[in-house]
Amino acid sequence: MSTNTTDSRRKVTTRRLSEMKQRGEKISMLTAYDYSSARILDGAGIDVLLVGDSASNVMAGNVTTLPITLDQMIYHAKSVMKGAERALVVVDLPFGTYQGNSKEALASAIRIMKESHAEAVKLEGGAEIRESIQRILCAGIPVIGHLGLTPQSINKFGTYNVRAREKEEAEKLMADARLLEEIGCFAVVLEKVPAELAARVAAELSIPVIGIGAGGGCDGQVLVMHDMLGINREFSPRFLRRYANLDEVMTEAVKHYIADVKSGDFPNESEQY
Ligand code: KIV
């Protein structure tokens, strides 16, 4: 029997995540951007698949998450949905599709839900985007908030360093987290904030708090799949635990293949018609 959930193939819903928090069961979340990896992650028992705008970095090779478009996010989300049976699938609203006004935010969220059939959306920010979140929620679309290091604001921050170390920013983060719960978000992601602050937020909120670089006091953890599988060798922040070294595995496999093709060893008699 699987040890990661009590009910290993039952569909994960926002309600189940809330129940998991209530009984102290940790929530596992990873990013996915395509059908094949979504199928593997879902089969392994992941609770939540995030079609993150980090696709801009790890799939498209951009330096930031800012360039990815709504159409591109929908393309990734559609592929992930085909591979996900059990996991709850959440899609990031990309930069520029919700900050301007709440009607645009709703239109973006509706496009994601209608065209990809995903089950929830994630938006970066607190009080500044309250109206957008509320309008999306009013349409019956579940929302995860995202506070702390919000990569879509990298040009404002100027650095990917830990956020909310100072009292003022920590207080704003706490107020934003309370606001997100109050207006009806079903969970909050906290990225790269001190563990002590994240634990306080998780203890105070009744909705799940999912951390990335936010310590063990959160109700769940999220990582970018490419980072935790070691596909992305250049990226090694302190919070990242690598569970595989796929860069090395793939490089070795490809070198082996090239050598076999060059030597004429591949294909052999049994590999041809
Ligand atoms: O886009 C993403 O991968 C994310 C996670 C870092 C939470 O938002």
Side-chain angles (χ1 to χ4, degrees):
M1 192 177 119
S2 161
T3 52
N4 58 350
T5 58
T6 43
D7 204 345
S8 64
R9 290 314 298 168
R10 205 172 122 216
K11 172 74 188 151
V12 180
T13 59
T14 56
R15 191 194 168 109
R16 275 199 76 198
L17 295 180
S18 162
E19 289 165 1
M20 286 166 79
K21 164 137 187 166
Q22 278 164 34
R23 61 172 181 266
E25 179 181 334
K26 297 271 188 183
I27 296 163
S28 62
M29 177 165 167
L30 281 173
T31 61
Y33 319 102
D34 67 285
Y35 163 74
S36 300
S37 21
R39 197 177 51 78
I40 294 170
L41 271 43
D42 187 84
I46 199 79
D47 296 316
V48 185
L49 286 172
L50 172 65
V51 184
D53 58 358
S54 50
S56 177
N57 308 100
V58 297
M59 299 299 286
N62 294 312
V63 175
T64 72
T65 57
L66 275 67
I68 200 159
T69 66
L70 187 56
D71 284 336
Q72 287 165 339
M73 288 303 293
I74 291 170
Y75 165 80
H76 287 298
K78 275 179 169 169
S79 313
V80 168
M81 282 306 290
K82 290 187 187 127
E85 281 179 18
R86 174 184 173 273
L88 179 84
V89 178
V90 180
V91 183
D92 268 339
L93 281 193
F95 176 68
T97 66
Y98 63 96
Q99 296 94 341
N101 69 66
S102 60
K103 283 194 182 152
E104 192 188 350
L106 177 60
S108 306
I110 286 180
R111 272 203 66 201
I112 287 178
M113 302 298 282
K114 262 190 184 297
E115 294 178 38
S116 75
H117 304 168
E119 294 150 323
V121 296
K122 178 165 79 60
L123 283 74
E124 295 183 8
E128 321 74 42
I129 56 158
R130 173 191 187 136
E131 213 180 294
S132 292
I133 295 177
Q134 280 179 308
R135 204 180 266 270
I136 294 170
L137 287 166
C138 281
I141 301 171
V143 174
I144 299 195
H146 183 156
L147 300 171
L149 177 65
T150 45
Q152 291 178 14
S153 301
I154 186 58
N155 293 309
K156 185 174 91 182
F157 297 149
T159 157
Y160 284 100
N161 287 348
V162 175
R163 304 303 311 177
R165 278 198 195 277
E166 305 304 326
K167 191 162 175 253
E168 199 180 328
E169 196 179 335
E171 277 169 6
K172 167 149 171 48
L173 186 142
M174 184 57 98
D176 279 339
R178 287 191 194 111
L179 173 76
L180 294 176
E181 167 165 74
E182 190 186 304
I183 64 178
C185 288
F186 73 92
V188 180
V189 165
L190 290 187
E191 180 164 353
K192 238 179 160 183
V193 299
E196 190 266 335
L197 173 64
R200 268 199 290 131
V201 176
E204 189 165 324
L205 266 49
S206 59
I207 56 173
V209 172
I210 317 245
I212 171 163
C218 297
D219 305 303
Q221 299 293 325
V222 54
L223 285 176
V224 169
M225 185 196 75
H226 289 63
D227 301 339
M228 59 85 74
L229 291 180
I231 298 176
N232 204 7
R233 238 194 336 202
E234 310 79 49
F235 186 67
S236 50
R238 172 172 168 173
F239 70 77
L240 176 63
R241 187 180 293 181
R242 283 221 174 84
Y243 289 85
N245 191 346
L246 289 199
D247 179 308
E248 209 173 287
V249 171
M250 288 169 78
T251 304
E252 280 315 304
V254 173
K255 279 186 177 167
H256 197 163
Y257 166 74
I258 294 168
D260 285 354
V261 170
K262 301 273 182 197
S263 70
D265 183 72
F266 176 79
N268 64 25
E269 294 256 312
S270 68
E271 290 161 333
Q272 60 195 15
Y273 301 97

